Amino acid sequence: MKLIINKVRLGKRSYPIIIGKNILPVAAKRIKELKLGTDAIIITNSFLRKKYGHNLVKNLKANNLTVKEFIVPDTEKAKSFIQINKILTSISEYDKDKRLFVIALGGGVVGDLSGFIASVYRRGIPYLQIPTTLLAQIDSSIGGKTAINLTAGKNLIGAFYQPRLVICDIEVLKSLKKRDIVSGLGEAIKYAVIKDKTFFNYLEKNVHKLLACKDDTLITVVDKCSMIKAEIISKDEKEENSIRTVLNFGHTIGHAIESASSYDKFRHGEAIGLGMLCACELSKELKLLKETELNEIEKLIKKAGLPVKIKGIPLNKIIDAHYHDKKFIGKTNRFVLTCGIGKTIIRNNIPLKLIKKVIKKRLF
Ligand SMILES: NC(=O)c1ccc[n+]([C@@H]2O[C@H](COP(=O)([O-])OP(=O)(O)OC[C@H]3O[C@@H](n4cnc5c(N)ncnc54)[C@H](O)[C@@H]3O)[C@@H](O)[C@H]2O)c1
Ligand SMILES: [Zn+2]
């Protein structure tokens, strides 16, 4: 199977996204060729270490790189000051005459934490992403948003810090739980709705193959989504104009649903699926989106196995949480809406009454 290379174009900080099947065994050679340093720090969790990390370590050593591993909890708790403190202290003790670089081996949790560590240690050391979930391959590993959580909110501490390489081996996705494939599909559907009607039609036709982790379909989806994200990041790295903002489609209410349920009821992509439905309903209410298209989007979300109802969370909790969204500017809300599959429009000051109406419709 041939290798696909997409590129995030940011001048001197440009980097490739390499996509293929069974490419993890040759990752060490590529990493060595990049000359990021001589001493690799791998951050991962215990399951992934056993499943993929051991071989990676062996191959890195065979390429004359030294390796130190850090194992973090397999929950959002990994994205915390406690972990940061532990890992940075340990790295500083280990760092004697070393040329360190970080390898994130894992899903979005490991990726966000590793990127943040790389961004702050010695004011920045190189890092690369080996994303192991569908969501991480198509979204979180690309674009340089790194973050840890505070009690006051998720991803509140972070930096824009781009990786030097992203390696997506679709073979590793086969050990994912079905729910994590489905969660990744939430973000894939987002890319289709905001940017590409043809891709939307492809997903409609091939969603069952994706759920069955068929090679060709996984490659197509990782390729397409990473290409869309890479193009957006290349034009608006730090969300300084509204180009990158469109990636937040479904995220204003999606994040509020995650937060109102204390981040333990929904996977990220599941909450985003619900958030997209609310954004579509808002678009319909504002006469931007036809009802037939709203129904088409809902049908695909259902077909992907994503929830279409918000179970067991009171409306006021979701509304309270949505005020904390980072897209609020003072008291003004900001929504990415759709005016047809493949097209977006940004609207400010959506009346609270309307927001409540569309969320209420989804409550169960
Ligand atoms: N930086 C960004 O731009 C960005 C974008 C979206 C989401 N995020 C963040 O990403 C996180 C969610 O990421 P996620 O959905 O990947 O969750 P995750 O990292 O928690 O992974 C989900 C589960 O899958 C397991 N797993 C990972 N790879 C596996 C594999 N190959 N086989 C079997 N199991 C595997 C993990 O151990 C975990 O239990 C959140 O913290 C979110 O804030 C960041
Ligand atoms: Zn997201």
Side-chain angles (χ1 to χ4, degrees), residues 135 139 187 190 247 249 251 255 258 268-269 272:
L135 185 133
D139 188 4
E187 295 283 3
K190 176 194 80 178
L247 291 171
F249 178 66
H251 282 59
H255 279 157
E258 282 185 293
H268 180 69
I272 295 322

Side-chain angles (χ1 to χ4, degrees), residues 250-251 253-254 257 266-281 301 306-311 313 358-359 362-363:
H251 282 59
I253 294 175
I257 293 168
F266 296 103
R267 293 281 204 273
H268 180 69
E270 293 173 343
I272 295 322
L274 291 163
M276 285 194 288
L277 286 172
C278 293
C280 289
E281 294 272 6
I301 287 176
L306 288 156
V308 291
K309 290 279 177 194
I310 310 166
K311 282 187 194 148
I313 313 173
V358 301
I359 299 176
R362 294 279 151 197
L363 291 179

Side-chain angles (χ1 to χ4, degrees), residues 8-24:
V8 177
R9 293 175 201 281
L10 293 167
K12 278 186 184 161
R13 289 174 296 107
S14 298
Y15 55 94
I17 302 160
I18 305 178
I19 303 157
K21 178 179 154 74
N22 281 324
I23 56 173
L24 199 52

Side-chain angles (χ1 to χ4, degrees), residues 45 47-48 52 74 76 79 107-109 112 132-133 135 139-140 145 154-155 172 175-176 180 229 268:
N45 67 35
F47 170 78
L48 293 166
Y52 306 109
D74 187 9
E76 276 291 323
K79 286 170 60 175
V109 164
D112 279 11
T132 61
T133 62
L135 185 133
D139 188 4
S140 61
K145 274 192 182 175
K154 213 178 158 220
N155 298 331
V172 306
S175 55
L176 280 173
D180 286 304
K229 184 149 186 190
H268 180 69

Side-chain angles (χ1 to χ4, degrees), residues 68 87 106 144 183 225 252 292 295 330:
K68 184 161 176 67
I87 296 175
S183 171
C225 296
T252 306
T292 47
N295 293 340

